[in-house]
Amino acid sequence: MSDLKNAACGAVAKSDPEDRGYYLPVWMHAEDTAGVLELLCREWLPQPTLGFLQDAVGADAFWQLIRFLGLTHDVGKLTAVFQSTIRTAVEDTSLCMLPIPDSSSFSDPHCTPHAMASEAILLWYGCPPRIAQIAGAHHGKPQSVMADAEDAIETWPKNFGGREPAQWKRCWRAFLDAAMKEAGVADPDSLPRRIPMTAQMLLTGLLIMADWIASNTTYFPLIAVTETGSEQQYPERVEAAWQTIDLPNPWQGSLWGLDESKFEHQFGFRPNPIQTAVMDILGAAAQPGILVLEAQMGTGKTEAALAGAEQLVGKEAAGGLFFGLPTQATANGLFPRICTWAAYQAEMDHDTYGIRLAHGAAALNQQYRELFRGSARLAEDESETTGLIAHSWFEGRKQALLADFVVGTVDQLLMAALRQKHVMLRHLGLAGKTVIIDEVHSYSPYMNCYLDRTLTWLGAYGVPVIALSATLPAFRRREMIAAYLTGRAGKQKYRLPEQVDWQTSLGYPLLTWTDGMEIKQTAVSDRSQSRAVQITYAKTAQVTALLREKLNAGGCAGVIVNTVQRAQQLAQLLRRELPEMQVIDFHSQFIMTDRIERETHLLERMGKHSAPAQRNGLIVVGTQVLEQSLDIDFDLLLTDLCPMDLLLQRIGRLHRHSRVRPDALNMAQCIVLETEELEPGACAVYGAWLLLRTRSLLTAQIRLPEDIPALVQAAYSEPAPDELDEAEREAWQAYQKEYQIAVSDAGHFLLRKPGYGLLDDMTGLLDYDADERESGAQASVRGGDPSIEVLVLFQNEDGQVFAVDDPAKPIYTDHVPSAEECRHIAQQRLRLSGLFSRGWRMDQVIRELEQPGCTTLREWQQSAWLRGELFLLLDQAGRGTLCGYRLQYTKEDGLCVEKGGET
């Protein structure tokens, strides 16, 4: 260690922006990072990830490599340009004993950032390129193809060596020689050279994580400029910091898998045949891969997946869990169940595990906030009653997937396939987990491109995946398995075996899985009761009379339509014409607190345990959010026409649970609302082809679950040319064209496949990367026009501002609100209708929304909670205007938008 200190020549690594009397020398930051990196690998990294890396580089070489990477990642700070810049930030400018030119003498100081300089110096020293690339990427982005790190020292000699390059090169060699000696490596040729790209990604993620921890002055304090640091501080300095940060242990699992009795003890009921099959399959798999579970709504797919995850951790195939869901609402709805399940794991293992709710509004979730208190061991943030901790270090959006158990929107998963800075941290978070993806049928062709590329990377890492759906088209089953096996096979191009039975099977419930490279499939004998659903049609003008007639003797109804505007119009109509009944809107145009209140109310009155007195006379009018987010049970369903898989999801809310129903509603009835022409809003959402195809396939009666696979596969299969009329043929051609456009658009920021052969390194991996902001990244993986989120507030004539959900209590605007007030203000969040984010209009809308933050609410910009937010100020009656549209927010209907007198 003394060799490293002497070799660094007093060079400065870090300074204190508030006190020039403190700094950290390069050699100490090197020791701090190397120590943290070793501890991360020994005590935090899940066993499957550690095993993967050791297999990739060799077990003994692995520990030498991580020590070397930690010590040398910032060797690029031993350059004339970096030391010239940082010495002005410390009180003693003579700390570095190397000759340093004045900073004004560098003509291109920004051409050699220190991460790139680290890569260049390591290459100069003779390190294998793939190790140098890891150091060059430790700020989250591999060096560009155009950067040419190999020739950087010759291209910018003054930046590296000032006026005396020989002296700087002697320093580099001495420092790297000392690092080699400390890491136990004889010479550069002894370092591993053939590090696959997958291992590079994970090693880079670990190095970023170690560097961030070692750069935190709470854990690793700076020293006074009067000191040079002491070798005697090590390893105690690193061990003390490690005890302070106190990262949770990886999920170990002490149950060694589940059997039926353990399942019953944990979940409170005996496993059904589907759940038993999942446990048996994953328990027996020699090399678990991807499992696709197709089973009807309400059959316990969630419990089956969680039981499968326990089987996998029991055989050391995984050491954590990611559960991805379509929306924030579905993620919030599942989070309490995962907390209960994860707390049981902690109790059984006598350990404490980290948990994370991962989406843009997670901080507003009350249950999640209760798990998070303080910052690491600096405060008591562990829940003594649950064994779960929301650790402060995992709160950053880039660290979202690093906790043991993560529940989040599917965006968090898809961003692992996005060319975005620090994507390596997402890969590191996923690599040791079981990944569960719910509702895999519900993603667009654009999103499926990111999902399939993510599956390829997960396959390359050997990460077990469980995909869940009730209505999955066969072609998506095939594409997902092909994508996963492409990564598992280690080839740029992989062709599925010629066998076709598993690709076209209409068995149901159906499990398709891989064991190594072998594809297997079985249909499960489901003991759930078959039920008939009567399909009839009606005009929108008949809805009032139908509901009056059908609910005359009691019962409740769901009306699901395709657009928010249509839901609002229909709800208003029904309130006027059916005053004796209660009509509730449920869609995306409510602020967060109003939507949560509605969810709770609907679960109480339409949920599994609701009683007739609660259900009678209740009508909920909603949009697609009713397909997935709530476990509610309609006695009667009215629905707009939509694609077959989604229509079946809607029907899944009809007679969902066994109960005594009014005689008139004993038969499950789905009434499809038809129009002379396809409804324009529906065509904008789904396209005409899937609507026409669904309408042509519907019969007077369908049986669930047995008809589900045949209906879904028929809806998504390629039609024979002679079976289409002219309108259908045009719609089919438009559908194919839109599909190809979506796939092409998705490729703009799609991470390339794991490299093989000549492409097997990280150079240029993130060239032309996507927006680094969370909102921009989410837009990149979801496609379509970006959305605009606003905080909706009321303002009276005197200029006082009020929360929508508390219009009697003013919020003062002349100072920064308290943390609790800021949280309350942030809960007034709403995503505006897509019409406000189309084309040229979006810029004008944002300009209008920025005005309150620059004037009335400018003091709020000092709050971390509210900085950069867009505010929509309405009058006390909830009325306002935006970009030529009239707006009104009400508790009953949410935000209504009008133009030209028409809603």
Side-chain angles (χ1 to χ4, degrees):
M1 193 177 295
S2 59
D3 291 345
L4 197 74
K5 177 180 178 181
N6 293 334
C9 299
V12 178
K14 298 187 179 295
S15 61
D16 187 335
E18 297 179 357
D19 190 339
R20 297 177 69 248
Y22 289 88
Y23 83 115
L24 197 69
V26 165
W27 79 269
M28 285 188 70
H29 180 61
E31 293 289 351
D32 293 343
T33 305
V36 171
L37 187 54
E38 283 189 354
L39 286 167
L40 284 171
C41 294
R42 293 186 187 279
E43 300 190 21
W44 175 80
L45 198 63
Q47 181 58 44
T49 311
L50 179 60
F52 178 88
L53 289 171
Q54 289 181 323
D55 289 345
V57 303
D60 293 334
F62 172 76
W63 296 107
Q64 295 174 335
L65 176 60
I66 62 166
R67 186 75 189 177
F68 181 76
L69 280 172
L71 291 172
T72 62
H73 75 287
D74 264 353
V75 68
K77 291 184 176 179
L78 294 175
T79 57
V81 69
F82 183 88
Q83 291 301 312
S84 173
T85 301
I86 199 169
R87 72 172 178 174
T88 61
V90 294
E91 200 170 80
D92 186 348
T93 58
S94 63
L95 287 168
C96 182
M97 295 175 283
L98 293 162
I100 305 174
D102 186 84
S103 59
S104 62
S105 66
F106 296 98
S107 58
D108 298 298
H110 303 297
C111 291
T112 54
H114 76 264
M116 189 267 266
S118 292
E119 183 173 338
I121 292 170
L122 287 168
L123 290 171
W124 166 86
Y125 183 70
C127 281
R130 296 182 188 188
I131 292 176
Q133 289 166 12
I134 295 170
H138 82 268
H139 279 190
K141 187 174 181 177
Q143 297 306 307
S144 167
V145 173
M146 303 301 294
D148 196 10
E150 190 172 2
D151 297 326
I153 295 174
E154 292 183 10
T155 305
W156 293 284
K158 190 171 183 180
N159 286 10
F160 282 86
R163 296 187 179 90
E164 300 183 44
Q167 192 166 341
W168 284 91
K169 288 180 179 179
R170 284 194 296 272
C171 171
W172 302 341
R173 185 167 297 281
F175 187 85
L176 293 172
D177 283 346
M180 296 282 284
K181 179 181 178 182
E182 188 173 325
V185 182
D187 55 60
D189 290 335
S190 301
L191 289 166
R193 307 192 75 83
R194 295 294 302 173
I195 301 177
M197 184 178 173
T198 47
Q200 278 188 305
M201 291 287 281
L202 299 183
L203 288 166
T204 304
L206 282 165
L207 182 57
I208 292 169
M209 190 173 174
D211 185 40
W212 285 2
I213 292 172
S215 299
N216 188 319
T217 56
T218 300
Y219 309 133
F220 291 93
L222 305 182
I223 63 175
V225 294
T226 55
E227 304 173 17
T228 59
S230 170
E231 303 96 314
Q232 303 305 314
Q233 292 179 263
Y234 294 91
E236 287 78 8
R237 174 176 161 96
V238 175
E239 291 170 351
W242 187 254
Q243 291 299 314
T244 300
I245 192 171
D246 194 24
L247 294 177
N249 294 324
W251 181 30
Q252 300 287 344
S254 62
L255 295 177
W256 296 97
L258 286 181
D259 56 25
E260 291 192 7
S261 62
K262 290 177 180 176
F263 183 102
E264 183 176 14
H265 181 260
Q266 179 169 346
F267 293 107
F269 53 86
R270 290 192 66 78
N272 62 32
I274 297 168
Q275 294 156 345
T276 299
V278 170
M279 290 190 291
D280 291 345
I281 288 167
L282 294 178
Q287 299 178 62
I290 182 171
L291 183 149
V292 181
L293 169 55
E294 300 169 57
Q296 73 179 98
M297 300 68 70
T299 53
K301 292 190 291 293
T302 297
E303 288 79 7
L306 294 176
E310 291 187 47
Q311 296 288 64
L312 292 165
V313 75
K315 59 200 302 179
E316 295 189 343
L321 178 87
F322 172 84
F323 206 123
L325 298 113
T327 64
Q328 290 184 7
T330 49
N332 287 338
L334 185 66
F335 186 66
R337 292 169 66 186
I338 298 298
C339 282
T340 300
W341 173 81
Y344 182 84
Q345 307 306 312
E347 180 184 354
M348 292 296 100
D349 299 347
H350 306 289
D351 209 336
T352 298
Y353 294 132
I355 192 164
R356 175 76 151 85
L357 179 60
H359 60 65
L364 304 178
N365 183 285
Q366 181 63 33
Q367 182 172 0
Y368 183 56
R369 289 209 317 272
E370 289 173 357
L371 288 168
F372 174 68
R373 307 187 190 102
S375 175
R377 189 169 283 181
L378 301 176
E380 296 298 322
D381 59 351
E382 179 180 333
S383 170
E384 297 178 0
T385 58
T386 66
L388 300 179
I389 178 177
H391 197 286
S392 59
W393 204 87
F394 301 135
E395 282 305 291
R397 59 185 176 85
K398 294 182 179 181
Q399 300 103 295
L401 304 186
L402 295 172
D404 297 306
F405 303 121
V406 182
V407 180
T409 51
V410 76
D411 312 73
Q412 302 296 328
L413 175 69
L414 302 189
M415 282 190 275
L418 182 67
R419 289 204 306 269
Q420 185 188 36
K421 195 174 181 182
H422 296 109
V423 69
M424 307 86 170
L425 287 173
R426 292 191 181 275
H427 285 230
L428 179 63
L430 292 169
K433 291 180 170 62
T434 294
V435 171
I436 301 172
I437 314 168
D438 201 9
E439 309 284 6
V440 290
H441 62 275
S442 64
Y443 306 123
S444 67
Y446 182 100
M447 294 174 71
N448 283 334
C449 292
Y450 283 92
L451 176 56
D452 289 350
R453 185 57 50 85
T454 300
L455 289 174
T456 297
W457 278 93
L458 295 179
Y461 294 130
V463 171
V465 175
I466 302 174
L468 308 177
S469 177
T471 55
L472 185 67
F475 81 92
R476 281 302 299 147
R477 179 200 312 149
R478 181 173 60 252
E479 289 175 346
M480 288 192 295
I481 289 175
Y484 186 89
L485 288 180
T486 296
R488 194 69 176 244
K491 298 178 181 179
Q492 278 291 313
K493 293 184 179 180
Y494 168 77
R495 293 186 64 181
L496 287 169
E498 291 302 320
Q499 66 187 85
V500 296
D501 291 350
W502 69 269
Q503 299 183 39
T504 57
S505 172
L506 295 180
Y508 199 81
L510 190 67
L511 291 103
T512 311
W513 72 98
T514 65
D515 190 344
M517 295 301 296
E518 187 177 1
I519 303 168
K520 302 180 180 183
Q521 188 179 73
T522 187
V524 180
S525 177
D526 186 11
R527 63 181 179 223
S528 61
Q529 186 176 359
S530 174
R531 58 192 175 98
V533 179
Q534 185 180 45
I535 306 294
T536 58
Y537 295 86
K539 305 289 187 184
T540 301
Q542 298 172 286
V543 168
T544 300
L546 275 170
L547 289 171
R548 183 181 290 117
E549 174 194 345
K550 298 288 186 181
L551 301 184
N552 182 54
C556 63
V559 183
I560 306 180
V561 295
N562 293 331
T563 65
V564 171
Q565 186 180 72
R566 184 158 156 78
Q568 291 169 331
Q569 291 172 336
L570 196 51
Q572 292 165 2
L573 173 72
L574 293 176
R575 285 195 205 99
R576 289 194 304 269
E577 298 189 353
L578 297 174
E580 71 277 16
M581 298 186 187
Q582 183 178 2
V583 180
I584 298 176
D585 277 19
F586 192 78
H587 49 72
S588 61
Q589 293 294 286
F590 287 99
I591 63 167
M592 187 175 297
T593 50
D594 284 350
R595 178 163 170 168
I596 291 171
E597 182 182 312
R598 273 174 150 61
E599 286 182 4
T600 303
H601 184 71
L602 289 177
L603 285 171
E604 288 175 354
R605 296 195 57 186
M606 285 183 162
K608 184 174 183 178
H609 303 293
S610 56
Q614 297 171 295
R615 300 168 62 81
N616 289 341
L618 180 61
I619 302 170
V620 57
V621 182
T623 57
Q624 294 87 340
V625 294
L626 287 170
E627 292 168 11
Q628 302 162 344
S629 59
L630 297 174
D631 182 12
I632 52 179
D633 178 11
F634 302 142
D635 295 319
L636 174 70
L637 173 66
L638 286 74
T639 175
D640 275 348
L641 184 67
C642 62
M644 182 65 76
D645 53 333
L646 304 182
L647 180 63
L648 292 169
Q649 289 285 338
R650 295 179 184 186
I651 293 173
R653 270 61 192 165
L654 175 64
H655 288 211
R656 186 177 179 88
H657 300 296
S658 296
R659 68 174 72 249
V660 176
R661 303 180 193 275
D663 291 342
L665 300 174
N666 268 331
M667 175 70 175
Q669 303 170 56
C670 171
I671 302 172
V672 179
L673 302 176
E674 59 179 352
T675 55
E676 294 293 335
E677 301 289 336
L678 291 178
E679 204 265 316
C683 289
V685 175
Y686 302 118
W689 165 250
L690 290 176
L691 299 175
L692 291 171
R693 187 67 165 172
T694 299
R695 187 166 66 184
S696 71
L697 293 170
L698 283 177
T699 57
Q701 181 175 287
I702 60 175
R703 297 198 67 86
L704 302 182
E706 50 264 51
D707 288 346
I708 290 176
L711 288 170
V712 172
Q713 306 324 326
Y716 282 92
S717 62
E718 183 172 349
D722 58 356
E723 69 175 289
L724 304 180
D725 61 27
E726 185 176 351
E728 290 173 328
R729 189 176 299 108
E730 289 179 1
W732 167 246
Q733 292 170 349
Y735 172 75
Q736 289 180 300
K737 182 178 180 180
E738 289 165 6
Y739 186 94
Q740 292 303 320
I741 290 172
V743 171
S744 175
D745 288 348
H748 293 162
F749 296 114
L750 194 63
L751 193 69
R752 73 174 186 244
K753 294 177 184 178
Y756 308 101
L758 295 175
L759 295 175
D760 193 17
D761 69 41
M762 294 191 300
T763 300
L765 181 67
L766 301 185
D767 287 2
Y768 312 107
D769 52 338
D771 195 327
E772 194 176 347
R773 296 171 301 171
E774 185 78 359
S775 58
Q778 289 174 352
S780 295
V781 297
R782 284 195 176 267
D785 293 321
S787 58
I788 300 175
E789 289 192 349
V790 296
L791 302 182
V792 185
L793 300 169
F794 292 162
Q795 185 177 33
N796 65 15
E797 294 179 353
D798 297 328
Q800 291 181 303
V801 172
F802 305 82
V804 171
D805 60 3
D806 191 3
K809 182 180 178 181
I811 307 172
Y812 296 102
T813 60
D814 58 354
H815 63 272
V816 180
S818 67
E820 191 57 39
E821 287 175 320
C822 286
R823 186 178 294 113
H824 185 207
I825 294 167
Q827 289 175 326
Q828 314 304 298
R829 186 176 306 277
L830 180 148
R831 182 170 294 169
L832 289 177
S833 165
L835 68 88
F836 289 110
S837 53
R838 292 177 192 153
W840 60 270
R841 185 182 294 137
M842 185 173 181
D843 290 338
Q844 182 180 344
V845 169
I846 291 176
R847 281 195 299 271
E848 287 190 32
L849 292 170
E850 286 176 336
Q851 286 303 309
C854 298
T855 55
T856 307
L857 308 176
R858 59 182 176 273
E859 291 297 322
W860 291 9
Q861 295 301 312
Q862 299 179 47
S863 163
W865 277 89
L866 305 178
R867 187 180 302 118
E869 293 283 4
L870 298 173
F871 295 91
L872 176 61
L873 295 184
L874 305 175
D875 66 22
Q876 280 195 296
R879 294 186 296 261
T881 60
L882 180 62
C883 200
Y885 288 85
R886 292 195 296 274
L887 312 178
Q888 180 160 21
Y889 188 95
T890 65
K891 190 85 169 175
E892 292 77 20
D893 294 313
L895 187 67
C896 296
V897 181
E898 297 180 348
K899 180 153 186 164
E902 298 181 2
T903 305

